[in-house]
Amino acid sequence: MTYFLGLTGGIASGKSTADEFFEKQNIPIIDSDLIAHQIMEVGQKGYQAIVNYFGSNILNDDQTINRHKLGGIVFNDKTKLKKLNEITHPLVHQKIKQQMERYRLNQEKLVVVDVPLLFESGFESLCDGVLVISISPKLQVKRLMKRNNFTKEEALVRINNQMPLSEKEKRATYVVANTGTIDDLEKRLSDLLQKIGR
Ligand SMILES: CC(C)(COP(=O)(O)OP(=O)(O)OC[C@H]1O[C@@H](n2cnc3c(N)ncnc32)[C@H](O)[C@@H]1O)[C@@H](O)C(=O)NCCC(=O)NCCS
Ligand SMILES: Nc1ncnc2c1ncn2[C@@H]1O[C@H](COP(=O)(O)OP(=O)(O)OP(=O)(O)O)[C@@H](O)[C@H]1O
């Protein structure tokens, strides 16, 4: 039986950094941010629906969607964010489920399913356990500002568009803190794999 470990956390709490560790252990990852990007590529199912709703001013010169611009719009307008979610989430969920089914048929032992909005979208019911990568609010703002070149206000807007990380921690099966170095994180994840026994 495949064990599906849901992986979530707050924005910039360290999910992708955890994925890198799991990849090094040859554990397959289903990456929903990547899937969300793929369904918005020119010609893909999400593309036309997004352009129809948001207009061609969100396009780059080469007709691809300018995600930076789209992010600037939706994270400052709840109605528009809701609309983008309504367009993208069913398509993303369908692809995640297809990938899960493939791993199940291949009798893969452990698969990590990285879904930033896992609890927000009720995805935990499809997972055997959920790992939350946690971080303090202060460090989260600091890492997000640095990675995305955001002002403090921009970082806070993104953070506040998600369920509070403290709430995600309460709902988790496993919580791993990413408050130290990346080596510390990897050690904790390695201990977790022992605990799961896969
Ligand atoms: C708004 C978009 C265009 C911004 O693109 P950008 O390249 O700047 O960000 P990226 O996609 O890499 O996401 C970075 C992080 O933002 C957070 N985030 C993304 N989408 C959302 C959302 N709808 N609500 C709250 N937080 C979100 C997540 O923590 C994610 O890991 C993009 O995030 C998007 O299309 N979002 C809608 C699809 C979605 O919900 N994706 C999340 C996985 S299903
Ligand atoms: N332990 C750490 N020490 C220092 N920097 C870190 C650590 N863990 C992650 N980072 C950095 O913090 C930033 C956010 O980490 P990461 O991209 O893994 O978060 P994420 O949860 O995947 O974000 P998102 O929700 O946007 O997908 C990155 O620039 C990463 O290199």
Side-chain angles (χ1 to χ4, degrees):
M1 277 262 287
T2 308
Y3 185 99
F4 289 103
L5 179 66
L7 170 65
T8 193
I11 184 165
S13 71
K15 297 178 296 298
S16 304
T17 310
D19 284 341
E20 282 169 27
F21 166 79
F22 289 124
E23 256 163 24
K24 282 192 267 177
Q25 312 303 310
N26 292 318
I27 296 168
I29 318 280
I30 299 176
D31 180 342
S32 49
D33 275 339
L34 181 65
I35 295 173
H37 296 170
Q38 287 168 344
I39 56 130
M40 298 189 181
E41 281 169 14
V42 181
Q44 296 300 311
K45 280 186 180 161
Y47 179 86
Q48 202 54 51
I50 292 172
V51 178
N52 286 349
Y53 181 79
F54 290 94
S56 51
N57 56 329
I58 56 144
L59 296 179
N60 294 307
D61 289 343
D62 64 0
Q63 301 301 301
T64 54
I65 290 175
N66 183 329
R67 293 207 311 269
H68 181 75
K69 209 167 178 183
L70 184 55
I73 296 170
V74 295
F75 292 119
N76 289 294
D77 184 329
K78 285 205 183 306
T79 309
K80 290 185 175 157
L81 178 61
K82 189 165 172 274
K83 185 67 195 177
L84 181 66
N85 288 342
E86 281 167 10
I87 295 170
T88 55
H89 288 183
L91 296 170
V92 173
H93 287 184
Q94 188 192 15
K95 294 248 179 225
I96 296 176
K97 284 181 196 158
Q98 280 169 358
Q99 293 189 17
M100 287 172 84
E101 195 46 35
R102 231 170 288 146
Y103 285 123
R104 206 190 307 273
L105 289 173
N106 282 345
Q107 299 183 327
E108 199 71 52
K109 275 196 305 188
L110 172 65
V111 174
V112 169
V113 193
D114 179 343
V115 189
L117 306 176
L118 186 136
F119 292 117
E120 289 90 334
S121 57
F123 215 81
E124 71 266 38
S125 60
L126 294 178
C127 300
D128 298 294
V130 177
L131 164 63
V132 166
I133 304 293
S134 78
I135 191 176
S136 68
K138 221 170 152 183
L139 204 48
Q140 187 180 20
V141 172
K142 191 174 153 199
R143 287 191 185 153
L144 183 53
M145 285 173 68
K146 188 170 169 209
R147 189 194 62 188
N148 287 35
N149 211 5
F150 279 165
T151 62
K152 191 172 182 187
E153 287 65 36
E154 284 172 319
L156 287 172
V157 162
R158 299 279 168 132
I159 290 169
N160 292 333
N161 266 297
Q162 298 188 341
M163 180 188 287
L165 193 42
S166 55
E167 178 60 29
K168 295 187 181 184
E169 287 169 25
K170 276 189 217 153
R171 297 192 189 194
T173 322
Y174 309 103
V175 178
V176 164
N178 183 19
T179 43
T181 62
I182 291 177
D183 277 353
D184 293 333
L185 174 68
E186 295 198 342
K187 169 82 180 56
R188 288 172 186 163
L189 293 172
S190 174
D191 290 347
L192 175 76
L193 288 181
Q194 295 251 313
K195 203 165 157 183
I196 296 177
R198 305 263 168 164

